[in-house]
């Protein structure tokens, strides 16, 4: 597997630039063609995770630990986990 480092995507998404996902889509397509699995992580959050996962073909795993714990301080751990699961419902 490869891991897509998503800090740049998250930053651009936060600025309202959804075209910032394009390099990640291209990398995912190439990885799929090479038979590689795709993981992603860094700065993925409740705000941007659904958009990212909906646009990356064959995304297998996301690393969301930091954001999950940070958001759980406000929403509670159980509520936060449920919110992430809803955003990844296709999984």
């Amino acid at each position: 597997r490869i891991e897509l480092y998503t800090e740049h995507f998250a930053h651009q998404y936060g600025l309202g630039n959804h075209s910032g996902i394009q390099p990640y889509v291209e990398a995912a397509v190439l990885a799929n063609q090479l038979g590689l699995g795709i993981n992603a992580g860094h700065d993925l959050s409740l705000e941007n995770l659904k958009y990212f996962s909906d646009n990356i073909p064959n995304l297998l795993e996301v690393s969301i630990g930091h954001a999950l714990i940070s958001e759980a301080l406000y929403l509670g751990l159980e509520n936060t986990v449920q919110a992430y699961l809803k955003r990844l419902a296709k999984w």
Side-chain angles (χ1 to χ4, degrees), residues 7-45:
E7 179 182 19
H8 180 74
F9 158 76
H11 178 72
Q12 291 299 312
Y13 188 90
L15 296 174
N17 178 10
H18 293 179
S19 67
I21 197 163
Q22 193 55 37
Y24 299 90
V25 172
E26 293 170 10
V29 168
L30 179 58
N32 285 312
Q33 291 171 350
L34 296 172
L36 298 171
I38 302 166
N39 295 359
H42 196 81
D43 289 347
L44 294 174
S45 66

Side-chain angles (χ1 to χ4, degrees), residues 49-81:
L49 181 61
K50 180 165 179 42
Y51 184 80
F52 188 84
S53 68
D54 285 349
N55 285 281
I56 300 300
N58 301 314
L59 181 63
L60 299 174
E61 185 177 315
V62 292
S63 299
I64 54 171
H66 177 79
L68 186 143
I69 296 303
S70 297
E71 290 158 341
L73 293 173
Y74 297 99
L75 303 174
L77 186 57
E78 185 174 343
N79 290 335
T80 303
V81 168

